[in-house]
């Protein structure tokens, strides 16, 4: 089976490629080829038993998606995207990559004609306040960011191209990924990871919102689990409503920091101080906090068990078990 | 004030132009210029006290929307669209006109820089079964036609371009228009009008669905009322959720035909016979039937009072008061 990952150089793309390389299979089928596409050279996963190709390109450029489809990938993970903060400041780039790029990919898939499984990483940014508590699966999409609008359009295209039989799509609305490893990216949600990642690495961190702020989160490992499950799920069981809010953990900043204290001790937890940033606080106040992700749970998608585990997974996967 | 109507040659566009010509004003402001755009030459309304230009063009072609914006219209009614039946059979044309065309118009407006009021005719086709009864304003959009997906994407773009200050948009989800005058168009909903219009004109009509089928409808006159009200409504009062389900009448085929019998007599009502068409019945079964259009009602949008009135308006507006 040939697998294609767009945005294969991003954090989720890289972890997904590593996992597929380690497993050698995807939902029980042998992987024979992996293509990683991104705007910068993606890292090849170590130890893959199959050929891995990389391709540096921009999906929104004419012909590019068609070239990628020439290899007739049977499973496509479409992760390529401009993140929320950058899509908000660079309106043209956000629409070009997140909407034109996604549409170009769907058109290329339609032309290729073999209706592959397409896993589309959508986002809870398709929702905009005010919200019911929790947000049910049938709540409407009124995004308050361009990123959210672009993802919501992508979901509609995915569902319609699937309905027409051109693709076999599953859209998964990822919670905010926490703890995101590495350097901060341009997402406005970055501090949710920063206030844990930096202290665990021995660095002071600033929390720009009040401790009562709640948010909806999933670990990188849970996110990879969603991707793999979405790649193998029976489309008929999902039905025509192909976009699903993933299960996550609804936790407050206070609960996150309490978990950090339990798992890593006072020395680490004391590295966080509060310094309110009205701009960030105002953005975050428009974000969803809690979901009743019932359909996804019924379809077998699995959330992290608790937030202590989220922190332990980060220490295990990213820090080699060692806290600074 | 310069007013632009895209799709100015269609049924709603023509009636809207006639109404604006008759009034000479739009929400209390004098109309000084009217531009009617369509892919076929639009009819100029009689008796306008201001210049009326027509423009035959395709909005989705590069540069065309920019040309239309060069006249800096202060109110734009964007009605140009491929209807549901045709958008379903001609996938490319539907997406090109309904999505690329709408996006091109928004981009041209953004470039023009004067943030005009844009009234976008959306549709209840953004909803797909199964539904709650009635459908609340915050129910999600899971269209089961390409037309519905294209309109839902248009709504998302409209709201985001409005949020960014590029346009002052109001999207109005029209109920099925009934009684649609003239010849049948390619909309799958055409029979809802046909079973009334044809008998009133002395022609036999076939109803392809069971008499218990309910649907959500508004008269052409109510639809024009929605357009005019949307053109003048205070955007701040609407807030960021710029797309609204319009109020309508939830009536069954049986109730429609009973109203026809009351208003036009047995001779007319007896011209309808039932002959089930499984294809049409299956499409219609995926359509919404009833809404709680609370936000629109609170914002002053007005539905028809009852279905007898809908039939009387048609006899008055289209048949010169005479029943065949």
């Amino acid at each position: 089976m040939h697998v294609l990952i767009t945005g294969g150089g991003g954090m989720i793309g890289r972890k997904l490629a590593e996992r597929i390389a380690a497993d050698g299979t995807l939902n029980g089928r042998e992987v024979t080829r992996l293509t990683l596409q991104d705007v910068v050279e993606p890292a090849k996963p170590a130890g893959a038993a199959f050929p891995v190709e990389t391709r540096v390109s921009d999906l929104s450029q004419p012909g590019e998606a068609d070239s990628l489809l020439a290899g007739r990938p049977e499973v496509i993970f479409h992760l390529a995207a401009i993140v929320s903060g950058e899509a908000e400041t660079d309106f043209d780039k956000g629409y070009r990559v997140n909407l034109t790029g996604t549409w170009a990919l769907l058109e290329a898939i339609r032309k290729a004609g073999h209706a592959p499984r397409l896993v589309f990483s959508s986002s809870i940014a398709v929702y905009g306040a005010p919200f019911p508590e929790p947000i049910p699966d049938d709540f409407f999409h009124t995004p308050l960011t361009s990123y959210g609008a672009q993802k919501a359009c992508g979901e509609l295209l995915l569902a319609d191209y699937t309905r027409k039989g051109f693709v076999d799509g599953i859209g998964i609305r990822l919670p905010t990924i926490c703890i995101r490893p590495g350097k901060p990216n341009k997402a406005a949600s970055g501090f949710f990871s920063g206030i844990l990642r930096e202290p665990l690495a021995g660095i002071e961190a600033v929390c720009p919102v009040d401790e009562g702020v709640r948010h909806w989160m999933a670990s990188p490992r849970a996110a990879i689990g969603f991707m793999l499950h979405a790649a193998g799920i029976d489309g008929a069981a999902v039905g025509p409503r192909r976009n699903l809010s993933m299960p996550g953990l609804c936790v407050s900043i206070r609960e996150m920091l309490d978990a950090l204290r339990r798992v890593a001790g006072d020395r680490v937890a004391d590295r966080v101080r509060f310094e309110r940033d009205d701009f960030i606080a105002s953005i975050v106040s428009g974000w969803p906090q809690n979901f009743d992700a019932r359909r996804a749970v019924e379809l077998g998608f699995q959330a992290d068990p608790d937030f202590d585990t989220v922190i332990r997974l980060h220490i295990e996967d990213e820090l080699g078990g060692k806290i600074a």
Side-chain angles (χ1 to χ4, degrees), chain A residues 63-109:
Chain A
E64 177 49 30
D66 297 299
S67 294
L68 282 171
L69 263 293
R72 297 181 79 77
E74 289 150 276
V75 173
I76 303 172
F77 295 95
H78 178 40
L79 314 179
I82 299 297
V83 296
S84 57
E86 191 175 3
E88 200 58 28
T89 52
D90 193 337
F91 188 82
D92 286 308
K93 188 176 179 185
Y95 271 94
R96 183 170 51 77
V97 174
N98 294 348
L99 183 46
T100 304
T102 296
W103 196 0
L105 179 62
L106 286 166
E107 275 294 287
I109 291 170

Side-chain angles (χ1 to χ4, degrees), chain A residues 55-299:
Chain A
R55 188 175 177 99
V56 178
S57 68
D58 179 343
L59 259 186
S60 64
Q61 295 306 306
E64 177 49 30
D66 297 299
S67 294
L68 282 171
L69 263 293
R72 297 181 79 77
E74 289 150 276
V75 173
I76 303 172
F77 295 95
H78 178 40
L79 314 179
I82 299 297
V83 296
S84 57
E86 191 175 3
E88 200 58 28
T89 52
D90 193 337
F91 188 82
D92 286 308
K93 188 176 179 185
Y95 271 94
R96 183 170 51 77
V97 174
N98 294 348
L99 183 46
T100 304
T102 296
W103 196 0
L105 179 62
L106 286 166
E107 275 294 287
I109 291 170
R110 177 182 164 219
K111 272 187 245 163
H114 64 300
R117 167 57 49 92
L118 175 68
V119 179
F120 172 55
S121 68
S122 188
S123 165
I124 55 173
V126 301
Y127 297 98
F131 304 112
E133 162 62 33
I135 300 174
D137 282 324
D138 62 3
F139 191 64
F140 69 165
H141 301 153
T142 57
L144 293 173
T145 58
S146 293
Y147 176 78
Q150 293 146 12
K151 288 293 185 185
C153 285
E155 288 193 6
L156 286 160
L157 294 175
L158 179 91
D160 198 44
Y161 278 65
T162 297
R163 188 184 61 81
K164 296 290 273 190
F166 302 143
V167 69
D168 182 9
I170 303 285
I172 59 177
R173 277 175 220 125
L174 296 177
T176 291
I177 302 302
C178 186
I179 301 171
R180 173 179 280 277
K183 299 279 174 196
N185 70 3
K186 292 182 183 175
S189 56
F191 72 89
F192 284 113
S193 286
I195 59 169
L196 304 166
R197 183 186 59 230
E198 310 308 353
L200 286 166
I203 304 167
E204 303 264 310
V206 171
C207 180
V209 302
D210 302 334
E211 68 170 27
V213 167
R214 304 188 79 83
H215 197 53
W216 185 246
M217 283 174 276
S219 70
R221 216 191 274 189
I224 301 306
F226 300 154
M227 296 282 163
L228 298 176
H229 189 66
I233 202 169
D234 176 15
V238 181
R241 294 175 172 180
R242 286 299 180 110
N243 297 287
L244 301 163
S245 293
M246 291 293 102
L249 294 173
C250 170
V251 284
S252 69
I253 296 285
R254 172 50 45 209
E255 288 163 356
M256 292 168 70
L257 296 178
D258 286 349
L260 183 65
R261 195 171 295 277
R262 277 193 300 273
V263 173
D266 291 343
R267 192 172 48 95
V268 169
D270 289 343
R271 289 177 185 142
V272 182
R273 64 189 169 82
F274 285 82
E275 194 175 301
R276 190 183 160 86
D277 179 323
D278 286 338
F279 179 68
I280 291 182
S282 136
I283 292 179
V284 172
S285 70
W287 286 351
Q289 301 179 2
N290 192 16
F291 287 82
D292 177 5
R294 197 173 303 185
R295 281 196 70 214
V297 170
E298 285 170 2
L299 288 162

